[in-house]
């Protein structure tokens, strides 16, 4: 029997731990210096998700992919400085707050910032990334945004290729050699994609 893939907005009820695990699998190398050890990091992410700032792909009811976005002052990954200090302690938390601040990207007027896309290893190559990007574009269009912005690190060429196939173009690359040892990447490329009226559409379902 063929699996059914449904793309929906928001983190489904009971899906926070799964979304946090997917994000950690995709971005743990980048977030590790700020949130390790892994078990604690996944718990922190799951606790502080903004559930309405995600698009998820469910395969037979299980979250198989997620794309987060930042819009109107809120992104998928929540948790402020106070939450970090509460979870990790003041002495161990101060440098974590500083590291997380380096990664923060806020949208400008008329812009939606994508926080990242993560697809479970067993479901890659099935078009889930494409479906998530299309739904993100629909969210942006319905919010009246003019463009979508994202950042991709130099050690993730597969993600950059996906974005380029879907109309994103590189506009700036920031060299970050000081982060290579700490976070595993040495450059961040900002990419833009214009939003058009054709992007607005309801959620999608595929088999």
């Amino acid at each position: 029997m063929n699996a059914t893939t449904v793309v929906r907005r928001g983190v489904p009820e009971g899906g926070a731990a799964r979304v946090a695990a997917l994000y950690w699998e995709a971005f743990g190398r980048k977030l590790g210096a700020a949130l390790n050890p892994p078990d604690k990091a996944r718990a922190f992410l799951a606790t502080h998700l903004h559930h309405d700032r995600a698009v998820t792909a469910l395969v037979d009811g299980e979250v198989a992919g997620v794309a987060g976005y930042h819009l109107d002052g809120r992104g998928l990954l929540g948790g402020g400085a106070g939450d970090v200090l509460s979870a990790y302690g003041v002495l161990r938390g101060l440098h974590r707050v500083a590291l997380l601040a380096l990664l923060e990207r806020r949208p400008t007027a008329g812009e939606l910032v994508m926080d990242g896309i993560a697809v479970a290893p067993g479901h890659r190559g099935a078009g889930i990334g494409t479906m998530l990007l299309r739904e993100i574009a629909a969210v942006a269009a319905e919010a009246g945004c003019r463009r979508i912005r994202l950042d991709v690190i130099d050690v993730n060429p597969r993600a950059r290729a996906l974005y380029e196939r879907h109309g994103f173009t590189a506009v700036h690359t920031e060299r970050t050699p000081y982060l290579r040892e700490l976070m595993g990447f040495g450059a961040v490329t900002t990419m833009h994609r214009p939003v058009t009226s054709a992007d607005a559409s309801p959620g999608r379902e595929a088999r």
Side-chain angles (χ1 to χ4, degrees), residues 182-195:
L182 189 62
M183 294 185 173
F185 62 92
V188 179
T189 296
T190 298
M191 306 184 79
H192 290 168
R193 175 197 182 282
V195 177

Side-chain angles (χ1 to χ4, degrees), residues 51-200:
H51 289 222
D52 62 342
R53 290 296 185 264
V55 171
T56 51
L58 282 68
V59 177
D60 291 340
E62 181 181 50
V63 177
V66 57
Y69 61 92
H70 201 295
L71 184 67
D72 296 332
R74 297 168 70 241
L76 173 60
L77 303 184
D83 299 307
V84 175
L85 297 178
S86 177
Y88 292 90
V90 175
L91 292 179
R92 296 182 178 181
L94 287 173
H95 78 282
R96 298 172 187 269
V97 171
L99 290 173
L100 290 171
L102 288 174
L103 301 174
E104 189 171 6
R105 297 290 185 272
R106 291 187 176 275
T108 60
E111 184 178 70
L112 178 148
V113 171
M114 208 173 92
D115 281 343
I117 187 168
V119 178
H123 295 285
R124 291 171 188 166
I128 287 177
T130 292
M131 297 168 69
L132 292 171
L133 284 174
R134 286 175 178 167
E135 198 62 28
I136 286 286
V139 170
E142 291 166 22
C145 295
R146 298 189 305 273
R147 73 181 182 194
I148 302 169
R149 187 181 102 217
L150 59 83
D151 293 321
V152 61
I153 57 178
D154 58 347
V155 293
N156 198 355
R158 180 173 178 172
R160 177 166 176 165
L162 172 67
Y163 301 143
E164 289 175 339
R165 289 198 300 272
H166 289 275
F168 287 87
T169 57
V171 295
H172 173 70
T173 296
E174 180 182 357
R175 305 294 172 185
T176 56
Y178 54 92
L179 292 178
R180 186 171 295 280
E181 290 296 323
L182 189 62
M183 294 185 173
F185 62 92
V188 179
T189 296
T190 298
M191 306 184 79
H192 290 168
R193 175 197 182 282
V195 177
T196 71
S197 58
D199 288 319

